[in-house]
Amino acid sequence: MQHNRPKITKDLFVHEPMKKRSAEEIEGPPSSFWKEARVRLFKNKGAVLGLIIIIIISIMAIVGPMMNNFHYDDQDLLRSNLPPLVPGMEWLGLNGENSHGTNIYEENSITDNNAWIGTDEFGRDLWTRLWSGTQISLFIALTAAFLDLVIGVLYGGISAFYGGKIDDIMQRIVEVLIGIPNLILIILFILILEPGVTSIILAMVITGWVNMSRIVRGQVLQLKGQEFILASKALGASNSQLIWKHLIPNVMGPIIVTLMFTIPTAIFFEAFLSFIGLGIQPPLASLGTLIENGYQEMRYFSYKLIFPAIVISAIMISFNVLGDGLRDALDPKMRK
Amino acid sequence: MGRYVVQRMGYMVITLLIIVTITFFLMQLLPGTPFSNPEKLSERQLELMSAKYGLDKPLAIQYMTYIGNLIQGDLGLSFQSEGRTVISMIGDRIGPSALIGGQAVVIGVLCGFILGVISALKHNTIFDYGSVFVAVIGMSIPSFVFAALMQYYIGVQWGLLPVALWKDYSYSIMPSLALSAMVIATVARFIRSEMLEVLGQEFVTTARAKGITEFVVIIRHVLRNALIPVVTVLGPLTVSIMTGTLVIEKIFAVPGLGEQFTLSILVNDYSVILGITLFYSALFIFIVFIVDILYGILDPRISMGGGKKDAA
């Protein structure tokens, strides 16, 4: 086996200049959970669009009523049932013509202060009422969602954190509460409390927190069994440290997602109650009362129904899409 | 299993009893009297009326009598409709509600199923986005807005279907459609996510690797497993249909239970409100119970010992 083997000498090998610890180098800057979630959320076009619509509608709810000279309860029978008129936007149907095609503005020789989206039977400006109604609906929904959040997190957190007998008793109560169809309870409470903003909020919160508490409890129970909690405990962390440093930040994702779905539900319930006559009482307006009003007269004054219907649908769709986006962003495992 | 069923039935009874108690005492706090035009009645007449309906007795006695009658299936007399029992009023009204509710479920489950399956099979294509969009719209737009718009366009403008009232079968179509929007959306979303989850599981890969046609894989392995959890949406669906009927029946003037309920609220007919509340609650509790049992039977992975609760 005397082959003509090429001779391998040491000088054939050259040392590659070694960078220290290059193996451990991470590509790109380290990103935190929240940063990643934000990136994921902004990649979702639907969610971003939803967020933008929510922001626009919220701004309009504040600014809208101030954009013209009317007040939401200014009555003027000379201006009753005026159709929508926006100069320059006649092609959109905002042409001041009623369902028979006569221009009411010319007929009654109203030249100043045209109503952008019309007036109701008392001559109240619907643009102003629409946005102050949105304001009230959003206020009710946000307050109810916030109260649900506080009560739900406390209840669920305490129940899961302490466990044992406390958990048993608290969960039996929850089990009875979820057995009750909440809408019926809400209606009964409104009947007793007499309709108004506060009673609507209270009635919604009475059963609304249960869902949040169940989510929080489930999450905390799951976390409690994990090693990092045990490690933290072994290192002598106090209960409050455990709760604030480990539990709350880790439960935050599901809480935000649940909150996002609570808000549209609350808007729906408010509109629903107002629609069956148990909600906000006139002259105050909410999206529900406006829709109810518009519904009564939709045959001849369809504009009274269509604009509030568009706003409430836009709000509901946006919150639902944003909620979906947030769920995908905050919980990559659940991404479907 | 047997023990679980008994335990759950115990809960059902307790929950119902608590609901009866809450509603009974809430009723006492309601403003106004249960009689129409009380100012026209003399004191003696009012006394006689109260005695007739048992309202002159102490609250505790009234409560006990109510519970006693309830066990015998007697919900008392209506305060506003002379001589009618609450049970017969519910009985008269249940038909139309059941019809539109049932049709809404059938339409909703069918359409939702088709949408959901298309969505999952054509994941991340234009079909998927389309059906997700439909589902989001269905979830978001309140049923009464949907119903009002349908009534305006389909009924008034185009004249395709009767606007309202309850005469022949065609009158039930629009209310059912309006109610089904929510059902379609819920079912479609649920089927989509369940199917996507099953599609990613290893037994599906195994089945494909064995050379089974895609069609058989979908029917035998994916759909069968994806459909089981869909049973669980029946509970929430019942609630949304019940909520829906309250307004939908008002909008379309359907003589159903929901319309009776809103009507009774307006005229302070306490016994009827109480009766319908109980009926709705009992129906809801019963359906949730059935769903839980069914789920346990269909999916052997679920333990019946109550361990399921903590898995959420």
Side-chain angles (χ1 to χ4, degrees):
Chain A
M1 292 281 273
Q2 274 295 327
H3 280 291
N4 212 0
R5 237 175 165 185
K7 205 168 178 211
I8 297 168
T9 53
K10 263 209 161 171
D11 57 276
L12 281 174
F13 294 93
V14 183
H15 278 281
E16 173 75 9
M18 195 181 76
K19 283 191 207 127
K20 269 197 176 163
R21 283 187 287 154
S22 64
E24 285 161 42
E25 226 168 60
I26 309 160
E27 258 181 81
S31 63
S32 72
F33 170 72
W34 292 104
K35 208 169 160 191
E36 266 180 41
R38 199 164 59 227
V39 171
R40 276 198 294 268
L41 180 66
F42 283 119
K43 265 191 199 154
N44 183 335
K45 288 184 205 101
V48 173
L49 190 67
L51 186 64
I52 293 172
I53 294 176
I54 291 169
I55 292 173
I56 292 175
I57 289 181
S58 312
I59 292 174
M60 282 308 290
I62 298 166
V63 182
M66 293 183 253
M67 282 169 75
N68 56 23
N69 314 325
F70 302 106
H71 198 243
Y72 73 89
D73 58 355
D74 281 349
Q75 300 192 7
D76 182 356
L77 290 180
L78 289 175
R79 296 171 55 84
S80 91
N81 292 332
L82 285 181
L85 171 65
V86 181
M89 287 177 78
E90 282 84 356
W91 51 275
L92 252 179
L94 307 171
N95 51 10
E97 283 172 9
N98 68 6
S99 52
H100 302 294
T102 34
N103 191 323
I104 303 289
Y105 289 88
E106 281 168 15
E107 208 176 73
N108 299 353
S109 56
I110 298 169
T111 47
D112 58 331
N113 284 332
N114 51 304
W116 295 333
I117 58 168
T119 60
D120 66 5
E121 73 269 37
F122 299 112
R124 295 180 292 208
D125 181 58
L126 279 178
W127 175 270
T128 318
R129 283 181 73 72
L130 175 64
W131 295 114
S132 54
T134 311
Q135 204 177 339
I136 288 184
S137 291
L138 283 176
F139 172 76
I140 290 175
L142 291 177
T143 317
F146 176 73
L147 290 176
D148 280 354
L149 172 83
V150 173
I151 301 172
V153 168
L154 280 178
Y155 195 96
I158 290 172
S159 179
F161 191 76
Y162 291 103
K165 271 248 154 57
I166 299 179
D167 185 40
D168 260 355
I169 295 170
M170 290 174 93
Q171 287 317 301
R172 291 300 88 79
I173 297 174
V174 164
E175 245 156 73
V176 170
L177 278 175
I178 36 172
I180 306 175
N182 54 359
L183 185 84
I184 285 169
L185 210 60
I186 290 177
I187 290 178
L188 290 177
F189 268 98
I190 299 267
L191 285 175
I192 293 159
L193 296 170
E194 70 190 60
V197 175
T198 332
S199 50
I200 293 183
I201 295 174
L202 279 180
M204 287 199 293
V205 171
I206 279 171
T207 53
W209 58 271
V210 176
N211 193 25
M212 180 67 89
S213 86
R214 294 184 87 201
I215 303 267
V216 172
R217 175 172 175 272
Q219 289 290 324
V220 172
L221 275 182
Q222 224 175 40
L223 287 171
K224 248 176 78 177
Q226 290 189 7
E227 277 93 1
F228 73 95
I229 298 284
L230 189 68
S232 181
K233 261 190 196 159
L235 290 171
S238 66
N239 273 355
S240 71
Q241 268 173 322
L242 272 182
I243 292 171
W244 290 106
K245 275 225 161 129
H246 295 301
L247 293 179
I248 298 226
N250 279 302
V251 182
M252 218 51 205
I255 289 181
I256 292 176
V257 173
T258 315
L259 191 67
M260 270 303 135
F261 289 113
T262 315
I263 295 172
T265 315
I267 289 180
F268 168 76
F269 271 138
E270 182 279 317
F272 178 87
L273 289 171
S274 298
F275 192 81
I276 58 173
L278 290 174
I280 305 292
Q281 301 298 306
L284 274 181
S286 78
L287 289 174
T289 51
L290 290 172
I291 290 171
E292 204 267 340
N293 246 318
Y295 168 70
Q296 301 293 349
E297 300 174 54
M298 69 174 179
R299 175 109 211 214
Y300 300 106
F301 308 107
S302 54
Y303 62 88
K304 288 184 188 172
L305 171 66
I306 287 172
F307 293 104
I310 291 175
V311 171
I312 200 172
S313 306
I315 295 180
M316 300 280 291
I317 293 172
S318 305
F319 268 110
N320 275 323
V321 172
L322 180 63
D324 279 346
L326 274 171
R327 188 184 50 208
D328 292 348
L330 290 173
D331 194 350
K333 281 171 297 179
M334 276 170 69
R335 203 184 160 87
K336 302 271 165 77
Chain B
M1 178 78 191
R3 203 176 141 246
Y4 175 71
V5 173
V6 173
Q7 194 191 341
R8 281 299 308 268
M9 280 165 94
Y11 266 121
M12 267 166 68
V13 174
I14 294 172
T15 311
L16 264 180
L17 198 65
I18 290 174
I19 294 172
V20 178
T21 313
I22 294 176
T23 28
F24 183 84
F25 287 102
L26 280 182
M27 284 296 146
Q28 309 300 322
L29 298 170
L30 285 186
T33 72
F35 307 119
S36 49
N37 299 322
E39 57 280 352
K40 283 187 191 155
L41 300 172
S42 70
E43 218 160 274
R44 178 79 190 125
Q45 277 172 315
L46 262 180
E47 242 170 59
L48 285 172
M49 290 276 274
S50 299
K52 181 182 172 195
Y53 292 104
L55 295 175
D56 53 342
K57 305 216 176 63
L59 207 55
I61 305 277
Q62 283 185 43
Y63 176 67
M64 294 313 286
T65 327
Y66 190 81
I67 299 274
N69 289 340
L70 193 67
I71 293 169
Q72 299 164 33
D74 177 9
L75 288 168
L77 293 168
S78 162
F79 289 158
Q80 300 287 349
S81 315
E82 193 61 48
R84 307 239 9 222
T85 59
V86 175
I87 228 39
S88 76
M89 286 174 82
I90 293 180
D92 287 353
R93 293 281 190 147
I94 193 110
S97 292
L99 179 66
I100 60 171
Q103 288 190 58
V105 171
V106 172
I107 300 170
V109 170
L110 276 180
C111 297
F113 177 78
I114 294 170
L115 275 182
V117 170
I118 291 176
S119 209
L121 292 182
K122 308 260 175 195
H123 189 38
N124 281 337
T125 64
I126 189 87
F127 298 103
D128 184 21
Y129 300 139
S131 41
V132 168
F133 184 70
V134 172
V136 167
I137 300 260
M139 288 278 290
S140 307
I141 298 183
S143 52
F144 53 91
V145 173
F146 196 57
L149 293 175
M150 272 176 79
Q151 200 177 33
Y152 181 67
Y153 287 105
I154 300 181
V156 179
Q157 296 289 60
W158 306 332
L160 293 178
L161 286 167
V163 175
L165 286 179
W166 192 257
K167 284 179 191 146
D168 55 62
Y169 178 73
S170 65
Y171 288 79
S172 75
I173 298 174
M174 252 206 298
S176 309
L177 284 178
L179 261 182
S180 70
M182 185 75 186
V183 186
I184 294 178
T186 318
V187 173
R189 280 167 70 108
F190 209 83
I191 295 230
R192 175 175 181 270
S193 64
E194 283 303 327
M195 267 190 79
L196 285 179
E197 199 178 310
V198 177
L199 277 170
Q201 303 232 334
E202 276 156 14
F203 65 80
V204 177
T205 320
T206 312
R208 282 187 183 139
K210 285 194 296 189
I212 305 174
T213 58
E214 189 65 17
F215 181 76
V216 179
V217 172
I218 298 297
I219 298 287
R220 260 224 207 122
H221 297 275
V222 179
L223 270 186
R224 264 172 94 178
N225 283 293
L227 280 180
I228 297 171
V230 176
V231 177
T232 52
V233 295
L234 287 177
L237 275 186
T238 324
V239 177
S240 68
I241 285 191
M242 263 161 25
T243 315
T245 48
L246 289 186
V247 271
I248 301 269
E249 287 177 6
K250 189 183 166 206
I251 288 178
F252 291 104
V254 175
L257 210 51
E259 206 225 3
Q260 177 68 61
F261 188 66
T262 36
L263 195 77
S264 304
I265 287 173
L266 291 180
V267 296
N268 289 339
D269 201 341
Y270 295 168
S271 52
V272 180
I273 302 178
L274 194 51
I276 296 180
T277 307
L278 284 183
F279 179 79
Y280 274 146
S281 309
L283 184 70
F284 173 63
I285 294 170
F286 184 68
I287 287 179
V288 170
F289 170 71
I290 296 289
V291 164
D292 281 359
I293 302 287
L294 211 69
Y295 194 42
I297 295 171
L298 289 175
D299 192 342
R301 284 171 299 186
I302 302 297
S303 82
M304 290 297 218
K308 196 182 103 201
K309 284 179 305 226
D310 294 348

